[in-house]
Amino acid sequence: MLPDEHRTIDFFTEDALPVPRVAPAEAELIAAEHLGVTARAQSLGSQQDANFLLHTGDGTPAAVLKIANPAFGPVEIEAQDAAADLIASACPELRIATVLRRPDGSPRRTTVDTGSGPAVARLLRHLAGGTLSGPRHLSPGTVAAMGTIAGKVSTALRDFRHPGLDRVLQWDPRHADRVVARLAGHIDEPDRRTAVRTATAEAWAHVHELAAALPSQAVHLDLTDDNLVRSPGSRPPMPDGVIDFGDVTTSWAVGELAVSLSSMLHHDGIEPHHVLPAVRAFHAVRPLSPEEAEAVWPLVVLRAAVLVASGRHQAAVDGDNAYATAALDHEWRIFEQATSLPLPVMIRLVQDATGTAAVPARTASADTPVRPLRRVADTPVRPLQRGAHAPLRPLLRDLAAADITLLDLSTDADSMDQGAWTDAGTEARLVASALADGAAAVATRYARARLTGTPALSAVSTATVPTGTDLWLGRDVVVQAPAAGKVLAAAPGHVELAYGAQVLSLSFPRTVRPVVATGATVRAGEDLTHLTSGAAVHVALRDADGPAAPRLVRPEYAAGWLALTADPAPLLGLPAESGRTPETDLLDRRAAAFATVQGHYYADPPRIERGWRHHLLSTDGRSYLDIVNNVTPLGHAHPRVEQAVSRQLRRLNTNSRFHYASVVEFTERLAALLPDPLDTVFLVNSGSEAVDLGLRLAIGASGLHDVVALREAYHGWTYASDAVSTSLQDNPNALATRPSWVHTVDSPNSYRGRRRGPDAVRYAPEAVAVIDELAAAGSPAGAFIGETFYGNAGGVALPDGYLAQVYAAVRRHGGLAVADEVQVGYGRLGHWFWGFEQQQAVPDIVCVAKAMGNGHPLGAVITSKEVADRYRDQGYFFSSTGGSPVSSVVGLTVLDTLRDEDLQGNAARVGGHLKGRLEALADRHGIIGAVHGSGLYLGLELVRDRADLEPATEETAELCDRMLDLGVIVQPTGDHLNILKIKPPLCIDTTAADFFADMLDLALTQLGHAG
């Protein structure tokens, strides 16, 4: 019997919606006899429909055969196809699974009999690329793209009308409470069933209050990872296609976004804050009203609850449906993530992301007074509410603000110097010191991230942002009611007092009993409890209708939590925390004043204001493992360097034309590290200057103006050092724009160069031939310059004997050999202090910087006295600060510390261990092509194919972003930006090296590269 053309589904009148029972052979018959396509059918999964991918004889996908659930009438299918056509027309940049049509323009659609009754079958356009389904981590760009597509679809469907939209679907959030009530009994586990019902009730109450203000329209309502198709070949996966219009209906427009957000929450490593880029992207395309922004997360929770209840129900009634049963675990993960934070916290984060936090919202009833939304300011700090709820009495009787010492535990605090934040006893020590100095009390700051308690290595951020204030008392104190109110709770160690729209929470030693009782009404100034000297008390203020906040919250969620709390400082007579400069404002200021060609790592960088050893610390209190900083070989903030600089600055800092001892001592020490005849030192400020000077020395001493340089190298930014830099990433036009006096030879890369493996021995003779040809043509090279260990290419060792042959060739024609040791020198290679030692060749000029000053601007050129003296032919040389007393003392201190802490030996030991860990990872992850380097100068090269070595450029960028989220700062290098440069401070230990390898393993797995 044919279905009623105008019938639409009402979920609540259906007992169940099992998938139509259609075998692949039957699907092939339907396609051939009814829809005019002869093809092989491959079954695809679906919750309620029967789907098949049709392949032609050669295996090419021809179309998707979709056999709708018999519960759906023809008019509903027509609405779905019309909606798809509309979106395809409105958004030509998107690929849409529209219905295929016959030559006469009619849709390839028919009604067929199934074991479940008559059903509409039709052919849909197949979209290549695959969906975003599966556990793979979704990068911020992918998340944002999902939000953008949802916004475009919502905009395209805004004015769409069709009788087939008049449906009652279990997926429509307007019916979520009824769906859960009906299906929750299928959740077997009592605790999970209770959790789903409780979360549904809370979320529904919130949405119901806003419902009248939420606009309704046609919606796709299933723009999930299962139905968004990635652009073929996109890396990372970026969606540009939309399939499965089976849930098209009329509902709240904001549900389109909520459905998409919920589908992200089961992916590896995704938690609620990770989906906010999709919220911003949707809002940029289709702006959310304040009411819609407030409804987003409650709708996410409702969607998650419906998924869990519906999934259990479907598995019960359709046990053979592998698609439905396979989804049960990730549907529960979606629910866990959606409910992992209190609703008010996530609501405020969404409001913050959309800029709707300060905009008044209407309530459900038109005659109800306007209820303003609580403000989430740019700064995550809300002062104590004023007016009627301001304190009438100080919280601590007879304790003046001047007697309270504020304890700063933030990144900016001097008390965190020299790694004090790593010591578990730091807070207690600082408090004891302040009390011993006479403080009546010591108080911490509200909302300012604390470093104490921050783990040095962690894959997730730690709760560092305080939602209240901690106090330690140096004398006996009476705690009194700051205003009239009601005691909500009074028990040993705890009092809660409601006054106005706020709740004051006090926690103190459990041995102390309050002097008030639960339920009592108190006057301003009435005693609450008596505390003795030495007691600690936690003071917190929160909104009366909000959840109790943890003492410390993670920075990603701080804006949500702090919007529900207030700074207790005014209760103590102290000024409220003024807040911090918003990070977006600081980046804008940087872009306005700091030339943008001086880029920064990451699109959304953490603000780094402190370092210690091989760790970098953000103002959010997060510690990151530093894998890129070869500028600080001793480690960040090394106390010996700090003390030496401070001592010298108190005495003298001038230039090297004055006579003082440190410049002599330093240059003697530096020259002694090099073989004969390299005995004379020039001091400069940077590697660029060192290379520039090295070239000038070579040209001046040889009298020859042509220079031979290696391709794929970077030497600096001055005119001369830039001229010999041929790295395409540093200058895409480097090879085309270099001056005529610069001649290049092949990068001697034995992994991906023209000569690979054993064939790499040919690089040296070929370079020698170029040098000989220049001389034969009347332009002999005055200098050959190259890194002694190929740094910019990812730490690739030069072929054995390469430099000896090339140095000999250039010298044979009157030129000099210039070694760029800026990155690899100073013991980083572990087994050799200088890179040229690995090659068993001695250059004529050595350029070094970076490591020399441990972050202080210091560089040097070391050569023979004969070459140095020839510089006088070019004039006078002087560097204002290169050889200053401070620079010289820094240089000496670095050399002393390298020796005393055996950092070269550490580079060999830890670097060897780390290289072994990375090589082992290559067995698990096919994207790892090679592990280059020596000591702590390593490069992990990522390729898409180990045979043709196609660079995995986009994958490397995505990996670096994921590693940042996992607590590791690492960046790409090489002409293809497909090599992780691994150049940490030389003090890194095995524990940190293992953490890096473990996080790399985790990230590669989460990004789908395992196997």
Side-chain angles (χ1 to χ4, degrees), residues 3 61 126 223 263 325 476 530 580 643 715 797 807:
H126 171 258
L223 295 173
S263 75
T325 56
D476 296 351
H530 302 155
R580 297 171 299 168
Q643 291 161 13
H715 297 288
Y807 284 2

Short mmCIF file of all heavy atoms in Angstrom, two decimals, residues 3 61 126 223 263 325 476 530 580 643 715 797 807:
data_model
loop_
_atom_site.label_atom_id
_atom_site.label_comp_id
_atom_site.label_asym_id
_atom_site.label_seq_id
_atom_site.Cartn_x
_atom_site.Cartn_y
_atom_site.Cartn_z
N PRO A 3 2.13 4.90 0.79
CA PRO A 3 1.94 5.75 1.97
C PRO A 3 1.14 6.99 1.62
O PRO A 3 1.13 7.46 0.48
CB PRO A 3 3.38 6.10 2.36
CG PRO A 3 4.16 5.97 1.10
CD PRO A 3 3.52 4.87 0.32
N PRO A 61 32.43 5.28 -7.08
CA PRO A 61 31.14 5.58 -6.45
C PRO A 61 30.24 6.35 -7.43
O PRO A 61 30.66 7.34 -8.03
CB PRO A 61 31.52 6.44 -5.26
CG PRO A 61 32.94 6.11 -4.98
CD PRO A 61 33.56 5.84 -6.31
N HIS A 126 26.71 11.47 -4.48
CA HIS A 126 27.75 11.00 -3.59
C HIS A 126 28.83 12.07 -3.46
O HIS A 126 29.30 12.63 -4.46
CB HIS A 126 28.39 9.70 -4.11
CG HIS A 126 29.62 9.30 -3.36
ND1 HIS A 126 30.90 9.53 -3.85
CD2 HIS A 126 29.77 8.74 -2.14
CE1 HIS A 126 31.78 9.09 -2.96
NE2 HIS A 126 31.12 8.61 -1.92
N LEU A 223 23.77 18.42 11.51
CA LEU A 223 25.06 18.81 10.96
C LEU A 223 26.17 18.35 11.90
O LEU A 223 26.90 19.14 12.50
CB LEU A 223 25.12 20.33 10.74
CG LEU A 223 24.14 20.86 9.70
CD1 LEU A 223 24.15 22.39 9.68
CD2 LEU A 223 24.48 20.31 8.32
N SER A 263 28.24 16.94 18.64
CA SER A 263 28.92 15.86 17.92
C SER A 263 30.43 15.94 18.03
O SER A 263 31.13 14.96 17.78
CB SER A 263 28.51 15.88 16.45
OG SER A 263 29.14 16.94 15.74
N THR A 325 24.39 0.45 17.67
CA THR A 325 25.07 -0.10 18.85
C THR A 325 26.50 0.38 18.96
O THR A 325 27.02 0.59 20.07
CB THR A 325 25.04 -1.65 18.80
OG1 THR A 325 25.62 -2.10 17.56
CG2 THR A 325 23.60 -2.16 18.90
N ASP A 476 44.40 36.50 66.91
CA ASP A 476 43.02 36.08 67.09
C ASP A 476 42.09 37.09 66.42
O ASP A 476 42.32 38.30 66.47
CB ASP A 476 42.68 35.99 68.58
CG ASP A 476 43.49 34.91 69.29
OD1 ASP A 476 44.18 34.15 68.58
OD2 ASP A 476 43.43 34.86 70.53
N HIS A 530 34.85 32.53 65.80
CA HIS A 530 36.05 33.10 66.39
C HIS A 530 37.24 32.24 65.97
O HIS A 530 37.23 31.02 66.16
CB HIS A 530 35.95 33.13 67.92
CG HIS A 530 34.78 33.91 68.40
ND1 HIS A 530 34.18 33.69 69.62
CD2 HIS A 530 34.08 34.93 67.82
CE1 HIS A 530 33.17 34.53 69.78
NE2 HIS A 530 33.09 35.29 68.70
N ARG A 580 43.28 42.04 34.35
CA ARG A 580 44.46 42.02 33.51
C ARG A 580 44.11 42.51 32.12
O ARG A 580 42.95 42.55 31.73
CB ARG A 580 45.03 40.60 33.42
CG ARG A 580 45.51 40.04 34.74
CD ARG A 580 45.84 38.58 34.58
NE ARG A 580 44.67 37.81 34.19
CZ ARG A 580 44.70 36.55 33.78
NH1 ARG A 580 45.86 35.94 33.68
NH2 ARG A 580 43.61 35.91 33.45
N GLN A 643 72.65 36.49 38.48
CA GLN A 643 73.49 37.09 39.52
C GLN A 643 74.70 37.79 38.91
O GLN A 643 75.09 38.88 39.35
CB GLN A 643 73.91 36.01 40.51
CG GLN A 643 72.77 35.48 41.35
CD GLN A 643 73.07 34.14 41.99
OE1 GLN A 643 74.22 33.68 42.01
NE2 GLN A 643 72.04 33.49 42.53
N HIS A 715 71.07 32.09 7.41
CA HIS A 715 72.25 32.62 8.09
C HIS A 715 72.00 33.95 8.79
O HIS A 715 72.86 34.40 9.55
CB HIS A 715 73.41 32.78 7.11
CG HIS A 715 73.89 31.49 6.51
ND1 HIS A 715 74.60 30.55 7.23
CD2 HIS A 715 73.74 30.98 5.26
CE1 HIS A 715 74.87 29.52 6.45
NE2 HIS A 715 74.37 29.74 5.25
N ALA A 797 72.89 15.57 9.45
CA ALA A 797 74.35 15.56 9.42
C ALA A 797 74.85 15.63 7.98
O ALA A 797 74.26 15.02 7.07
CB ALA A 797 74.88 14.29 10.09
N TYR A 807 86.16 22.63 1.78
CA TYR A 807 87.11 23.61 2.32
C TYR A 807 88.41 23.59 1.49
O TYR A 807 88.99 24.65 1.17
CB TYR A 807 87.45 23.28 3.77
CG TYR A 807 86.37 23.65 4.78
CD1 TYR A 807 85.14 24.19 4.39
CD2 TYR A 807 86.59 23.43 6.15
CE1 TYR A 807 84.17 24.51 5.33
CE2 TYR A 807 85.62 23.75 7.09
CZ TYR A 807 84.42 24.28 6.68
OH TYR A 807 83.47 24.60 7.61
#
